[in-house]
Amino acid sequence: MVLNYILRRLGLLLFMMFTLSVFTFSLSYLFPGDPLSNLSGISNTSFSQTSELQEKYHFNDNYLMQYFAFITRIVQGDWGVSFASGDSVFTHIIELFPATLELSIYALIISVVVGVPAGIFAAAYHRRWPDKLVNSTTLVGYSMPLFWLALLLIMVFSLQLGWFPMSGRMGLLYEIPYQTGFILIDIVLADFPYSGLAMLDALHHLTLPTIVLAMYPTTVLVRFTRDSMLHVLEQSYIKTARAKGLNRAQLIMHHALRNALLPVIKQIGLQFSTLITLAMITEVIFSWPGIGRWLIDSIYQRDYPAIQGGLLAVSMFVILATIIAELTYTLFDPLSRNQAHGKV
Amino acid sequence: MQLLDIRNLTIELRTSDTVIRAVDRVNLSLKEGEVHALVGESGSGKSLIAKAIVGVLNKRWHITADRMHWRGVDLMRLSNEQRRKIVGSDIAMIYQDPSRCLDPTAKIFEQIAETLPEITGSGFFLKRNRERKDRVKALIHKVGIKDHQKVLSSYPHELSEGVCQKVMIAMAIARTPKLLIADEPTTALESTTRAQVFRLLKSLNQLKNMSILMISHELEEIINWSHCMHVLYCGQMVEAGPTQRIFTQPRHPYTQALLKSLPDYEQGLAHKEPFYALKGTIPTLQHLPIGCRLGPRCPQAQKACVVTPPLTKQHGHSYACHFPLIKVMK
């Protein structure tokens, strides 16, 4: 039963990947300029180079052959070269993506750790002052523009108080060899004599961007958890459980929480796409060397191969994350495990 | 000894501009080992009364009562925690939509097991665990489920309504309560399961001396085995008393209409013969008539009916009507 479900999900994944690849492939023809140089990233070619490229990209064949050649190159890791740097787009993505991922994951962890308990707390004290406090705080956080919050935090904590650095990922004093791309893991792996200090420095650099990035998902999760909890507390099985003589703690721990947190798991997965988008803005503001900043720079420089590659990588990742969240949800929820066929 | 004694129970819904009185000064008293039936059309406030006794009504509802005594203890004066303890150990309730009253994400075994009273006495964790399993199995056999292995390891959505209702009953009797409140326990069930559930409740009453407050609109089922009957109309208690007396001598026009509406198959019904019914429909809660709420529909209504009739009591048979049907029945 579960296997069947996973297979169906994988089918969906394949289909989404296919649509995505078709879209990315057609981008090089839709972008202004020569499709060949948009695809390969090599411009101002001589005649012999052009014919070589035409051969490689199957440009004299029909679109279908060109698409298959495109897919083959994507799988092989040959994503063309960037106009701006002349380096392989794929290497750029491999180097930059972990930085974005690291920031997003920490922000997501913070939003879950803060958001879910706050939502439960607000629901437990429904219509009393803790609820009102949480509600109004989240409303402020929810409606505050991200860049404005980032600038405010930089002004207060970096410029005025000087507690946190303004930008970057690491102080200039430390040189961390690239291994996984996750800075905290790299520091541990590098095994310096001064790794404790380096770790502290990295955490200092991480603090402000993580707070800024976590703000939106946290507020969404607080409100979602609160609503979900209130909804569950209204259900008749909660009333039955109360009539059975369970006390408040047992009621919440055994019945309310499990049912209320199920939709929250789904919501966390959905938050990932928003998070990646917000991470791009955060990266620009804090000069964080991640894929978002690189992508925005590429857009400014009309670096079409880079835009294409970056879009493909980010959207593939978001789709994967969503499907993984959905699978987790299904593993926990007995009701959705044997749903009718044809339901997505 | 009076098990439950309720005087002037009023349940109100306070909206911003008006107060809607869904249950209006209802009296109810119940002795140990008795089966009482609470009868009325849907929307007459039967379920509200039951939920008010157990204490699971929403905070929107405002409950007042002159007294609500459970074995001499006034439930209204207790704190939430004390009340929950008393109600949890002595009163159990089963509902009309059993599958929605079971936690959808917990297996049946866990749900029954947590209802069991704490297993006291020495013994290791494993031993207590085994005892718990045995008790759950015994309970589930008692309510007539033979395939315990399959049912206990299922989630509620995998079971039929009938089995869910039996599970609900198993949970209800797990703490051997003194009073079982059954809120239309058979509406969602098919007729064979319905008969099984009634038989089960009947045997619980006779063998365990468990009192039952039965909320139902299936009069035929109740007539045979309930000791007392309370008839509600629009939140007002119109007539209450021993079931046999009410059936042979209804004093209130509403009760009479209710009994007349039962098809009498013995006399032979003509083809497509209309059933007897009062004219009109139940008023909505926002537009309740003043005085006797049956007034506009009552065949006997007169001018005096705009004043709420007082409760008249004769030999344990009470009715609230200005013009009771004494002469008519003779």
Side-chain angles (χ1 to χ4, degrees):
Chain A
M1 207 65 222
V2 179
L3 191 72
N4 192 359
Y5 179 82
I6 292 174
L7 281 179
R8 272 195 287 149
R9 276 296 112 125
L10 286 182
L12 187 68
L13 176 71
L14 279 181
F15 184 73
M16 303 252 275
M17 290 290 181
F18 168 70
T19 323
L20 191 62
S21 67
V22 167
F23 176 68
T24 323
F25 172 67
S26 55
L27 270 185
S28 46
Y29 298 87
L30 299 174
F31 280 145
D34 177 28
L36 191 56
S37 60
N38 284 349
L39 262 176
S40 63
I42 305 165
S43 44
N44 301 328
T45 47
S46 67
F47 180 73
S48 62
Q49 271 179 314
T50 310
S51 48
E52 205 177 291
L53 280 177
Q54 276 181 340
E55 186 64 30
K56 185 186 170 194
Y57 286 83
H58 293 262
F59 243 64
N60 296 324
D61 297 331
N62 57 16
Y63 284 123
L64 202 63
M65 292 307 288
Q66 288 178 34
Y67 173 72
F68 282 126
F70 170 77
I71 292 293
T72 325
R73 272 178 285 114
I74 290 291
V75 173
Q76 283 167 352
D78 174 14
W79 292 28
V81 294
S82 159
F83 282 157
S85 64
D87 289 335
S88 158
V89 170
F90 192 64
T91 347
H92 273 303
I93 290 172
I94 292 290
E95 274 173 14
L96 295 173
F97 211 26
T100 305
L101 211 53
E102 189 175 31
L103 192 61
S104 310
I105 287 176
Y106 296 151
L108 198 62
I109 289 174
I110 287 197
S111 64
V112 171
V113 167
V114 176
V116 173
I120 293 167
F121 183 68
Y125 290 93
H126 183 45
R127 292 212 181 124
R128 273 175 277 171
W129 68 265
D131 183 31
K132 283 173 188 156
L133 182 74
V134 169
N135 235 355
S136 45
T137 319
T138 51
L139 190 66
V140 172
Y142 192 73
S143 37
M144 199 186 295
L146 189 99
F147 60 88
W148 187 64
L149 175 71
L151 293 179
L152 268 185
L153 289 183
I154 287 179
M155 266 173 63
V156 174
F157 291 103
S158 307
L159 299 178
Q160 302 257 329
L161 298 170
W163 289 355
F164 298 107
M166 234 172 83
S167 63
R169 212 177 168 199
M170 201 65 223
L172 291 173
L173 285 172
Y174 308 97
E175 192 169 319
I176 310 297
Y178 179 92
Q179 289 185 53
T180 57
F182 291 87
I183 193 100
L184 296 187
I185 299 175
D186 276 357
I187 292 174
V188 174
L189 288 178
D191 196 25
F192 291 133
Y194 48 82
S195 62
L197 288 173
M199 186 65 107
L200 210 62
D201 190 57
L203 286 177
H204 254 105
H205 277 86
L206 257 174
T207 311
L208 283 187
T210 314
I211 290 176
V212 168
L213 189 53
M215 185 56 87
Y216 181 78
T218 309
T219 49
V220 170
L221 277 187
V222 170
R223 312 192 96 191
F224 195 84
T225 313
R226 174 178 171 272
D227 288 352
S228 165
M229 195 78 185
L230 287 179
H231 172 75
V232 166
L233 286 177
E234 283 286 297
Q235 298 296 308
S236 25
Y237 54 83
I238 295 294
K239 286 189 186 130
T240 320
R242 197 178 296 160
K244 274 199 286 193
L246 305 186
N247 62 33
R248 198 182 170 83
Q250 277 176 315
L251 198 72
I252 289 184
M253 291 308 288
H254 292 178
H255 296 288
L257 218 50
R258 182 164 37 190
N259 285 292
L261 290 188
L262 276 173
V264 175
I265 294 177
K266 223 174 192 172
Q267 189 65 23
I268 292 172
L270 289 179
Q271 282 305 308
F272 226 99
S273 58
T274 327
L275 203 63
I276 295 277
T277 321
L278 295 179
M280 294 186 181
I281 305 170
T282 317
E283 283 170 13
V284 171
I285 295 172
F286 287 96
S287 306
W288 188 265
I291 198 162
R293 194 169 69 117
W294 176 73
L295 204 54
I296 288 176
D297 282 346
S298 308
I299 291 172
Y300 277 129
Q301 293 162 354
R302 295 192 170 52
D303 188 348
Y304 299 122
I307 297 175
Q308 228 177 37
L311 278 182
L312 187 65
V314 170
S315 14
M316 257 191 331
F317 180 75
V318 168
I319 292 174
L320 261 178
T322 315
I323 288 196
I324 288 173
E326 194 126 296
L327 283 178
T328 336
Y329 170 76
T330 314
L331 282 183
F332 282 114
D333 184 15
L335 267 175
S336 73
R337 231 175 282 155
N338 55 354
Q339 61 190 201
H341 280 273
K343 205 176 158 197
V344 180
Chain B
M1 183 194 175
Q2 293 281 38
L3 208 56
L4 186 69
D5 185 16
I6 297 176
R7 282 283 165 276
N8 290 341
L9 173 69
T10 303
I11 304 177
E12 289 168 331
L13 188 63
R14 292 192 177 167
T15 56
S16 50
D17 41 312
T18 50
V19 175
I20 293 168
R21 196 172 267 200
V23 173
D24 188 16
R25 280 171 293 164
V26 163
N27 302 330
L28 192 89
S29 58
L30 206 139
K31 287 192 183 68
E32 215 161 333
E34 278 185 341
V35 177
H36 280 220
L38 210 54
V39 177
E41 286 166 79
S42 38
S44 56
K46 296 166 295 181
S47 296
L48 280 178
I49 294 175
K51 283 179 182 160
I53 296 171
V54 183
V56 290
L57 270 185
N58 277 334
K59 280 178 190 149
R60 290 196 290 274
W61 297 96
H62 194 84
I63 307 168
T64 47
D66 286 355
R67 66 167 185 260
M68 191 195 272
H69 281 193
W70 171 257
R71 311 222 284 168
V73 182
D74 195 345
L75 291 177
M76 300 293 285
R77 285 174 207 278
L78 292 180
S79 73
N80 273 345
E81 191 58 18
Q82 288 170 314
R83 183 172 178 170
R84 187 188 59 73
K85 260 185 199 144
I86 289 185
V87 169
S89 61
D90 286 351
I91 307 180
M93 187 162 170
I94 55 180
Y95 301 84
Q96 49 183 320
D97 43 355
S99 63
R100 284 183 51 206
C101 292
L102 291 166
D103 185 345
T105 56
K107 289 194 173 165
I108 299 294
F109 175 78
E110 294 170 39
Q111 303 200 38
I112 298 180
E114 72 180 5
T115 326
L116 289 173
E118 277 302 307
I119 296 171
T120 47
S122 59
F124 288 115
F125 174 72
L126 280 175
K127 193 182 163 197
R128 268 182 297 168
N129 227 10
R130 197 176 327 125
E131 198 183 330
R132 181 181 301 256
K133 260 181 202 160
D134 289 344
R135 282 212 208 169
V136 170
K137 215 192 293 178
L139 270 175
I140 207 107
H141 285 162
K142 201 181 276 175
V143 294
I145 297 175
K146 290 181 190 91
D147 191 2
H148 62 264
Q149 207 125 39
K150 184 165 164 273
V151 169
L152 286 179
S153 59
S154 305
Y155 289 101
H157 69 271
E158 295 167 336
L159 303 173
S160 70
E161 285 286 326
V163 177
C164 282
Q165 189 60 283
K166 285 175 188 167
V167 170
M168 286 295 295
I169 296 175
M171 290 192 332
I173 60 176
R175 296 195 184 199
T176 51
K178 303 273 185 306
L179 170 67
L180 180 70
I181 300 178
D183 185 358
E184 300 187 34
T186 54
T187 28
L189 308 184
E190 41 170 313
S191 51
T192 43
T193 339
R194 183 179 301 178
Q196 284 174 358
V197 167
F198 273 124
R199 211 153 45 219
L200 185 64
L201 291 178
K202 213 185 291 183
S203 71
L204 281 171
N205 170 246
Q206 282 161 358
L207 302 175
K208 303 263 159 142
N209 200 29
M210 185 189 285
S211 310
I212 297 179
L213 180 61
M214 186 83 184
I215 297 173
S216 181
H217 39 226
E218 286 161 76
L219 285 172
E220 298 103 318
E221 289 283 359
I222 297 174
I223 294 169
N224 300 324
W225 59 289
S226 69
H227 303 104
C228 280
M229 202 161 102
H230 305 261
V231 185
L232 280 171
Y233 179 79
C234 274
Q236 281 178 334
M237 185 77 81
V238 293
E239 190 161 6
T243 310
Q244 285 315 318
R245 285 268 293 276
I246 287 191
F247 262 84
T248 48
Q249 282 194 330
R251 292 289 160 85
H252 198 282
Y254 180 69
T255 319
Q256 193 198 25
L258 206 63
L259 295 177
K260 261 190 184 172
S261 72
L262 290 178
D264 192 352
Y265 295 109
E266 279 173 12
Q267 300 203 339
L269 291 170
H271 181 59
K272 294 206 171 176
E273 187 186 324
F275 284 156
Y276 176 81
L278 281 182
K279 288 202 171 64
T281 53
I282 314 177
T284 56
L285 279 179
Q286 297 93 315
H287 301 109
L288 288 174
I290 57 162
C292 175
R293 290 181 177 175
L294 186 65
R297 294 177 73 190
C298 182
Q300 262 89 4
Q302 294 179 33
K303 201 177 171 185
C305 292
V306 295
V307 181
T308 312
L311 209 61
T312 319
K313 203 163 185 179
Q314 284 181 345
H315 310 294
H317 182 170
S318 53
Y319 49 90
C321 188
H322 292 294
F323 309 102
L325 304 160
I326 298 168
K327 285 171 198 146
V328 182
M329 291 311 287
K330 277 175 187 170

